[in-house]
Amino acid sequence: MTEGYYWIRFNGLLQIAYYTDGETEDLETGEILKGGWQLTLEHFDICHSDEVVVIYGPLITTGNVR
């Protein structure tokens, strides 16, 4: 998956999140996962998992929006 902003569904909410392509440790299991999400509404990071459903993206952005 390409790094960038995506519309996702997480915990039943639709929101925009930034996907980062890299290794992330799942703090609950200790498992190393590829990729992670930074949620823009809830201001925390989550691992790329089955809990995240990508609805649309990556979104096209202009300039430095991060």
Side-chain angles (χ1 to χ4, degrees), residues 5 8-9 15-16 18 20-21 25-28 32 37 39 41 45 49-50 52-53 57-58 62-63:
Y5 288 93
I8 66 166
R9 177 171 297 142
Q15 57 186 301
I16 294 176
Y18 189 83
T20 302
D21 189 28
E25 180 181 0
D26 184 328
L27 298 177
E28 292 180 10
I32 302 296
W37 296 94
L39 304 178
L41 294 179
D45 298 338
S49 70
D50 292 338
V52 175
V53 177
T62 59

Side-chain angles (χ1 to χ4, degrees), residues 23-34:
E23 292 185 348
T24 305
E25 180 181 0
D26 184 328
L27 298 177
E28 292 180 10
T29 66
E31 182 181 0
I32 302 296
L33 303 171
K34 182 147 173 83

